[in-house]
Amino acid sequence: MRRLGYFAVSIVLTLALILGVRTFANMVFNAKPPARAAIEVPPMRGAQKEEKKAEAPKKEAAAAGEQKTAEAQPAAAASGPDPKHGKKVFAKCKACHFADKEKHKVGPHLVGVVGRPVASAEGFKYSDAMKAKAAELGAWTEENLMKYLENPKGVVPGTKMSFAGLKKEQDRRDVIAYLKSLAGK
Ligand code: HEC
């Protein structure tokens, strides 16, 4: 008889498990915790956990996605133009250029140079090489500046700008950003 009783309980429990009637299962479980039932109940909890697990990767993926976008911005900012650093880079140009006043030194002033037509600073005696390149280059677009500042003599052979160039792309970007930021003031 007892065996039959356990059997009946386990069948009821199994049904309850299949139907997912948790309260019913809990009631039976709490009222009389037979050994077999105790063994059978955990799979349901396991199944619940698995459901949660199935949800977890989604959440993780969503979190990772958020992280990616969150990371993407500072990363873009880190590799993007940094005018503050550009100001430091400009120390290399200072001996020959003013960037904050329209006064020439060894080189022409660089006020508003980003977008300015090549060899157009009034009163500065440009080299013939620079004047000859002016038509071809047009204006000091950021693209032209990126190339020129990397290798002045390569872009304008015969330029009288005695400067080896900024080899680091980031330095060029930053110094251009700095020159632009001055123009905005
Ligand atoms: C040793 C002096 C010297 C240094 C250092 C120097 N330049 Fe020049 N720069 C010149 C001279 C001289 C010219 C005029 C070139 C010519 O006429 O061939 C010039 C021209 C330029 C021009 C073209 C301007 C125009 O009106 O067409 C730009 C832009 C420029 N320099 C930017 C820079 C930047 C940015 C730096 C620092 C990374 C720098 N230069 C460093 C001397 C210098």
Side-chain angles (χ1 to χ4, degrees), residues 57-76:
K58 271 187 224 158
K59 274 185 201 157
E60 271 166 32
E66 273 164 37
Q67 242 182 355
K68 260 186 199 166
T69 42
E71 266 168 23
Q73 280 154 354

Side-chain angles (χ1 to χ4, degrees), residues 133-150:
K133 271 280 168 183
E136 187 192 314
L137 288 174
W140 286 119
T141 59
E142 290 187 39
E143 206 187 331
N144 280 336
L145 282 169
M146 284 296 284
K147 288 186 212 150
Y148 179 65
L149 296 178
E150 181 178 18

Side-chain angles (χ1 to χ4, degrees), residues 13 22-34 37-38 41 45:
L13 274 170
R22 284 170 63 199
T23 37
F24 181 66
N26 282 343
M27 267 165 60
V28 175
F29 182 69
N30 290 338
K32 192 183 173 194
V41 169
R45 292 199 177 145

Side-chain angles (χ1 to χ4, degrees), residues 89-97 105-110 113 116-121 124-131 140 145 148-149 152 156 158-163 165-166 175-176 179:
V89 176
F90 192 74
K92 295 183 179 173
C93 326
K94 265 186 180 165
C96 306
H97 293 285
K105 276 182 152 179
V106 179
H109 78 78
L110 298 177
V113 75
R116 192 171 87 184
V118 173
S120 69
F124 184 79
K125 262 189 75 73
Y126 289 96
S127 64
D128 290 340
M130 186 63 87
K131 282 190 271 183
W140 286 119
L145 282 169
Y148 179 65
L149 296 178
V156 184
T159 178
K160 60 175 181 176
M161 170 155 145
S162 313
F163 183 70
L166 298 169
V175 85
I176 292 167
L179 292 170

Side-chain angles (χ1 to χ4, degrees), residues 49 76 99 171:
K49 263 184 206 159
D171 284 356

